[in-house]
Amino acid sequence: MGAAEEGGRDGGVGNSIASGTFSGPVVQARDVHVHMPANAPLPVPRQLLPVPHHFTDRIDELAELDDLLTSADDPGAGPPLIVVNGPAGIGKTALVSRWLRTREAAFPDGQLYADLYGHAAEGPADPAEVLGQFLRALGVAAPPAGLAEQASLWRTVTARLRVAVMLDSAFTAAQIRPLLPGGSGALVVVTSRRRLTGLRLDGAAFFRLAALDPAAGLELLTRGVGAERVAGERTAVEQVVELCAGVPLAVCLAAARLAARPRQPIAALADSLAPDADRLAALEVEGEITVSKALDASYAVLDPRAARLYRTLGTLPVPTFDTRTAAAGCAESEQWAERRLDELIEANLVEDIGPDTFRFHDLVRVHARSCAEIHDGEDARTEALRRVADWYLRTTTAAEQLITPAQFTLPRTYAHPSSLPAPFTAEKGALDWLDAHRHHLMALLRTAAGRGWHATAWQLVDAMWPLFLRLRYYDLWAEAHTIGLAAARADGHAEAERQMLNSGAIGLSAAGRVEEAADWYTRSLEAARAAGDVRDEGQAQLGLGSCRMAAGRLEEAVRHLDLAVRVWEECGYRRGVALAGILLGETALRRGDPGTAIPLFEEARRILIEVADPHDATRALAFLGRARAQGGEHALGTDELTEALEAFRASGALHWQARTLEMLGRGAQEQGADSQARGYLAEARSLYEVTSPADARRLE
């Protein structure tokens, strides 16, 4: 890819002319270039295309362009029109130039090139100026003055010619249409940072150029600095290529920087590229366009509202974003955000990667953040970030209320309440949303804690409870509650601190870190007693009973669980009594006493249905089925386990799907149905691989 691709006035062409690559007189004006063969019987352009300084052989992309040309070959239609789009610096000009050079035989009457300055500070090129130069090159000494007359004459002159026209750095479809030649023997290839979807009406085929893969990036850098130098610092070279994010322009600029400093270790450049704030500046090379300058040009022509959204999104710590996130950050409606996102997609500054899912190219994100730091004050940037954090908190709380409606929830506080609706209406959709956005939630949690938004931080952790409970991301569970506990303490919120201790301890215990969990529960018990909170006291006793059961200390487990039942019966917390009953029943099963376990599970399930806790009621049903099978009622037990499995599948509770499948497998083993047992256990193991690798290893 040429280091001067798209952004410079000369586009690298001047070097080609000076080097004598072409013969015959050259017609050149404002980057409209044609080549006239010396012995041509009439003035017909031959070739003058930008020559890139570096080009990595994109064999697949070249083949795809060949396929597009072949598929567009319709004798009854107009000239083939192909639009190659992609972000600044991705290598569009280099790719199309290289491809057209391979197609010379198909267009014997010549090739023309025009830079349309789609992102130049002076504004896009006037199609009339381009047509005037093309017509003069074709022997029209005095082209007409009006655009309509020029376009008509242009179509007439080219009607019987087989020419290829490259229109580089286009800005709008309207800029292209007057430049389309007549007849069907010509080819027009347009490059643009924008999608130019309006050209679909003109029969255009579209090709979006993707980033280089690591191997191609390494090849490109090696061409610039030499194989010997690369071989000596292979790890650092790979790091530089990775930090250039697959953008050929960035790789070329990195190579130019290294070539200018032959004694500098490549690792030094890798270090200078690593901090986000400095990555664009580190790729400045005197006399060459930079990624930053190319992106500056794309940004400069944005509508002010789209520019505002671009800057706002650049400040967010999330890897992707959707329409509601964009709307929340700007305190606008979803419709407003949709229109602005469309503009950013059209400008190739934002990538559309799925249903209502968008992202920045890595280096574009750095540029967007830089623009925000230049154009928006610290207060404005902080407010936008806080609005997004509050929207995530509100949406996560809505998911929590759908998934665990019986769960006690502490009050929420919002600096910037939002009226945007949640993107789900049912339990399964809410859990899917939490799962898909778990990394966003963790990023915002870390950001909130780092900025001292203590209430927002612990409330986010509290709201994420269904994510941890149902899907068992243990590392995230532990990290989130460590952050949440510190935030609750900093916020001076004793009740939130106990909540963090209890729910964090559940995660530690589930992850097999039983002694750590017991320590958290003990601290919670002490805090609950000091505060006179019998409900939290029962929760801590329940947790300690669970830890003792996990450690095989069943007598101690029963003592703690009985204490939990007693304090919860005294305060009327029936759901807690039922949860303790499930654990007491499980303890009885571990003792090999299904007769004691069955009534405990039956009573727990009855209470949980009454208090509208369907998930835990289904857990009680699964254990009840296992107890019946273990007690000899295999058919009834299997039916109850199967019913529980279907309920867990409907709700998306992967961990409890695995637990239930394992119970079914154990029951099948006890019945001698080995093939059926293997099927259940294999499915359970595959689910455990996602939710609990330790359990997956246990089942091996």
Side-chain angles (χ1 to χ4, degrees), residues 315-318 382 385-390 392-393 413 440-461 464 480 483-484 486-488 490-491:
T315 66
L316 303 183
V318 295
T382 298
L385 181 56
R386 189 68 181 268
R387 281 197 296 261
V388 170
D390 277 352
Y392 265 87
L393 173 59
T413 55
H440 300 68
L441 289 164
M442 291 301 297
L444 287 164
L445 170 60
R446 297 179 192 112
T447 299
R451 287 179 170 264
W453 304 339
H454 303 305
T456 300
W458 68 254
Q459 288 172 25
L460 267 172
V461 178
M464 291 164 70
I483 295 172
D491 195 37

Side-chain angles (χ1 to χ4, degrees), residues 62-101:
L62 293 171
E64 287 187 58
L65 289 174
D66 282 337
D67 290 341
L68 284 177
L69 179 60
T70 301
S71 64
D73 188 14
D74 181 354
L81 173 60
I82 297 173
V83 178
V84 177
N85 60 51
I90 205 69
K92 301 181 291 296
T93 302
L95 176 71
V96 173
S97 298
R98 174 67 174 267
W99 179 61
L100 288 177
R101 290 174 189 279

Side-chain angles (χ1 to χ4, degrees), residues 500-539:
M500 293 298 101
L501 283 168
N502 284 327
S503 53
I506 294 171
L508 291 169
S509 178
R513 297 160 62 175
V514 178
E515 291 306 315
E516 290 178 72
D519 177 62
W520 280 49
Y521 280 129
T522 300
R523 289 152 60 192
S524 175
L525 179 61
E526 293 169 352
R529 285 174 172 168
D533 189 329
V534 292
R535 181 161 167 160
D536 270 3
E537 181 181 345
Q539 181 66 56

Side-chain angles (χ1 to χ4, degrees), residues 1-2 4-6 11 13 30-34 45-52 55 65 80-84 91-101 107 110-117 130 134 154 163-170 175-176 179-181 186-192 209:
M1 202 238 45
E5 194 236 348
E6 295 187 24
V13 177
R30 201 171 187 246
D31 282 340
V32 177
H33 308 295
V34 295
R46 186 62 183 166
Q47 181 184 51
L48 184 57
L49 295 174
V51 179
F55 184 85
L65 289 174
L81 173 60
I82 297 173
V83 178
V84 177
K92 301 181 291 296
T93 302
L95 176 71
V96 173
S97 298
R98 174 67 174 267
W99 179 61
L100 288 177
R101 290 174 189 279
F107 302 98
Q111 300 187 10
L112 301 90
Y113 167 85
D115 187 341
L116 302 186
Y117 301 135
V130 176
F134 277 167
W154 164 246
V163 296
V165 180
M166 179 176 174
L167 302 175
D168 201 13
S169 193
Q175 194 184 22
I176 298 300
L179 304 177
L180 298 178
L187 165 69
V188 179
V189 187
V190 179
T191 73
S192 180
L209 187 57

